[in-house]
Amino acid sequence: MTHSHGRILIVDSNAGAVDELREILSHDGYEVSSVSNPKDARVYFEQGSADLILTDLQPPHTDGLTFLTELRASFQDLPVVLMTANGSLRTAVEGLKAGAFDYLSKPFIIDEVRSVARRAVEHAQAFSGRPQGYDRSGKDEEESPFGNLVGSSASMVHVYKAIARVAQTDSTVLIQGESGTGKELIARAIHASGPRSDGPFVTVDGAALADSLLESELFGHERGSFTGAVSARKGLLEKAHSGTCFLDEVADLSPALQGKLLRAIQEKEIRRVGSNASTALNVRIIAASKLPLEPLVRAGTFREDLYYRMNVVTIEVPPLRDRSDDIPLLVRRFIHLYGSSKTTPVTDISSEAMELLRRYPWPGNVRELEHAIERAVALSPHAVICPEDLPPVVRSSLPQSLARAQGWVTLEDLERDHILRVLDSHQHDMGRAAVILGIHRKTLLRKLRHYGVTTGNAVS
Ligand SMILES: Nc1ncnc2c1ncn2[C@@H]1O[C@H](COP(=O)(O)OP(=O)(O)OP(=O)(O)O)[C@@H](O)[C@H]1O
Ligand SMILES: [Mg+2]
């Protein structure tokens, strides 16, 4: 492999732990180096660099936390993940307070190591502006191939591929996705990357207008064709001539309009309201809907024939909560967009605030995230967005514990979260979780009761 996903430096004197991590991380495409103590790590830094440091909290020769503080002072953008032996949660908390990105407990849970590494490296690359060891020649994780569209998750890459495939064709495209997922942005990207890009991009909002108005809005009208039609007017479909017509919220079109639209698409011609003459229709249609259309077809509220016309190619845009890996890149884009115009430019975000953003489920998707950042930028008196700049609903989305006291966590919170993480990673197998946590099964049960965690789906 010529390019790696990032460079990781392990600082640990325990050869077994190093081997285990090396195996997991190299398998995921990282370049892994290791040193056995912080002194060697310093030498390593003089010669090269890393995107992430995984350091044991009890290395010999120096206190792990002092090392962490030193690292933070010299390399602010560099995420440091601490590794702690069973039960040393107190040290983990101290570490998080001192600015560690996250912590991993030994023995390692493979999926946890992988996900922490991925998040941390992504964080480093998104925030440092100096991605290292990352393949920048092909698909860039920062600049998407489609201008304003940001995101490097597998599902967004899937969307990019679909855009690239359909842009060169003239087929009708249906874009489905929840509100605020970027449907319009995708429609614009299709238009801009295809042969019609010199033509107009015209939006028709199916939800905005009453039926009769929408009909004349879409198809145009002749003078006197209805009360108020004082002069003849071109419809939006006609205005989109040689370009693209974006039919937003198609699910809201009435059955009558659906029929008229179908005819126009099939016959490739339109007739203004009140006219007998028809004009040729030379537009590419891209339709969008928040609701999946298929159930509406089954329920009889959306015409099946029109559905098949539009559904030649469908692009499904996943909700943001299913691609939270895109959040750091989006946040960075929005900070750049809104932060630079302030007198004190806002240029960054604290890792606690980022973690809150990553955990919130974003029912309003990217639009809601964009508004949250715009607001945070306006509120923040500093160059860095902090948890208190975020909307209350986002701040309180964490297991409330984690958001407590301006982002600091208590030992209990950390213990609870850690227990839940271990349980989640082991199919709620209580026996295994207890072994991993190094406590008796009964103690685990007692703790779960204490934290009010129901063990209904736990394997005991
Ligand atoms: N992948 C993305 N990268 C950057 N910005 C995005 C992305 N997706 C959405 N946005 C931004 O989020 C906002 C909402 O996007 P858009 O209007 O395209 O969503 P939509 O799916 O059409 O929503 P609705 O169904 O409510 O009309 C816009 O400001 C857009 O620029
Ligand atoms: Mg829209």
Side-chain angles (χ1 to χ4, degrees):
M1 185 181 311
T2 43
H3 292 287
S4 76
H5 287 116
R7 296 178 200 170
I8 299 181
L9 176 67
I10 303 169
V11 187
D12 197 331
S13 55
N14 177 334
V18 172
D19 285 347
E20 193 184 349
L21 285 172
R22 188 191 296 281
E23 194 182 327
I24 299 170
L25 296 168
S26 324
H27 183 266
D28 277 2
Y30 300 100
E31 241 174 80
V32 183
S33 313
S34 69
V35 290
S36 60
N37 61 66
K39 199 165 127 256
D40 293 348
R42 273 178 217 110
V43 175
Y44 179 93
F45 273 110
E46 275 153 29
Q47 292 163 356
S49 49
D51 296 306
L52 163 65
I53 293 204
L54 291 176
T55 182
D56 187 58
L57 261 186
Q58 284 92 31
H61 316 303
T62 184
D63 167 35
L65 286 178
T66 317
F67 178 49
L68 170 68
T69 316
E70 270 176 39
L71 278 173
R72 294 288 301 165
S74 319
F75 308 95
Q76 274 200 352
D77 295 327
L78 180 70
V80 179
V81 170
L82 305 171
M83 301 184 285
T84 59
N86 254 338
S88 48
L89 287 172
R90 178 182 294 279
T91 334
V93 177
E94 292 299 319
L96 291 179
K97 283 187 181 176
F101 182 83
D102 208 334
Y103 74 96
L104 290 168
S105 46
K106 296 177 176 179
F108 300 119
I109 299 166
I110 294 179
D111 284 344
E112 196 178 26
V113 171
R114 300 177 60 197
S115 98
V116 168
R118 184 173 41 75
R119 279 197 292 118
V121 168
E122 201 173 87
H123 174 92
Q125 291 173 341
F127 284 87
S128 63
R130 45 155 190 78
Q132 289 154 356
Y134 200 84
D135 182 1
R136 310 279 288 177
S137 55
K139 57 180 172 37
D140 190 320
E141 93 290 4
E142 200 180 313
E143 293 293 320
S144 94
F146 301 103
N148 295 331
L149 276 171
V150 171
S152 59
S153 61
S155 43
M156 277 312 285
V157 171
H158 195 74
V159 168
Y160 298 148
K161 285 185 183 159
I163 296 175
R165 257 198 320 272
V166 299
Q168 298 311 318
T169 73
D170 232 6
S171 44
T172 304
V173 181
L174 174 63
I175 307 174
Q176 294 188 146
E178 287 178 15
S179 187
T181 46
K183 297 185 292 295
E184 178 156 358
L185 221 49
I186 291 169
R188 288 182 184 277
I190 295 173
H191 171 76
S193 352
R196 291 177 175 271
S197 60
D198 288 338
F201 179 92
V202 176
T203 301
V204 177
D205 187 347
L209 291 168
D211 215 41
S212 56
L213 280 178
L214 189 55
E215 182 180 354
S216 84
E217 195 65 26
L218 257 179
F219 299 99
H221 58 250
E222 292 302 336
R223 180 163 178 247
S225 53
F226 57 89
T227 328
V230 285
S231 57
R233 204 168 141 218
K234 263 191 189 179
L236 292 170
L237 284 169
E238 231 175 302
K239 284 186 184 159
H241 184 80
S242 82
T244 303
C245 182
F246 177 52
L247 285 175
D248 207 359
E249 310 300 353
V250 271
D252 288 342
L253 295 179
S254 70
L257 259 186
Q258 290 175 25
K260 288 179 180 152
L261 187 62
L262 176 69
R263 224 164 302 129
I265 296 177
Q266 269 172 344
E267 288 158 22
K268 291 196 186 333
E269 52 180 40
I270 45 172
R271 206 172 303 154
R272 292 183 182 178
V273 176
S275 164
N276 292 321
S278 49
T279 35
L281 178 71
N282 171 16
V283 293
R284 189 223 189 119
I285 306 266
I286 302 180
S289 177
K290 285 198 241 298
L291 299 173
L293 291 185
E294 208 184 347
L296 301 183
V297 171
R298 267 185 271 122
T301 53
F302 198 85
R303 283 183 72 131
E304 188 170 16
D305 40 12
L306 180 59
Y307 173 67
Y308 286 119
R309 271 282 154 185
M310 299 211 281
N311 187 30
V312 179
V313 180
T314 302
I315 298 181
E316 301 279 351
V317 201
L320 189 56
R321 62 181 169 281
D322 291 348
R323 48 182 166 109
S324 56
D325 287 349
D326 286 341
I327 289 175
L329 290 173
L330 285 163
V331 167
R332 190 178 176 228
R333 156 66 58 96
F334 297 140
I335 290 178
H336 185 74
L337 201 62
Y338 297 107
S340 47
S341 57
K342 285 189 72 182
T343 16
T344 317
V346 176
T347 53
D348 207 346
I349 180 167
S350 75
S351 45
E352 300 97 295
M354 184 62 94
E355 192 51 31
L356 285 164
L357 294 173
R358 286 188 60 106
R359 290 195 187 210
Y360 180 66
W362 301 109
N365 295 296
V366 184
R367 181 180 294 112
E368 189 185 3
L369 175 64
E370 183 173 353
H371 288 164
I373 299 300
E374 189 180 1
R375 174 185 183 277
V377 162
L379 288 179
S380 175
H382 314 289
V384 178
I385 296 174
C386 295
E388 43 293 13
D389 304 323
L390 300 176
V393 62
V394 174
R395 263 182 288 155
S396 58
S397 73
L398 274 193
Q400 32 100 313
S401 50
L402 273 183
R404 208 183 281 164
Q406 291 160 356
W408 292 140
V409 296
T410 64
L411 278 176
E412 275 211 340
D413 297 335
L414 202 65
E415 182 180 79
R416 175 181 181 276
D417 276 12
H418 183 64
I419 290 176
L420 290 178
R421 280 212 270 181
V422 173
L423 277 172
D424 283 343
S425 309
H426 293 87
Q427 291 77 46
H428 289 252
D429 183 329
M430 302 283 259
R432 281 194 71 193
V435 171
I436 287 163
L437 293 165
I439 53 178
H440 199 277
R441 213 175 136 271
K442 276 191 187 144
T443 314
L444 176 57
L445 281 170
R446 185 167 45 72
K447 285 184 185 292
L448 288 175
R449 262 200 307 278
H450 172 73
Y451 291 127
V453 176
T454 48
T455 51
N457 56 348
V459 183
S460 40

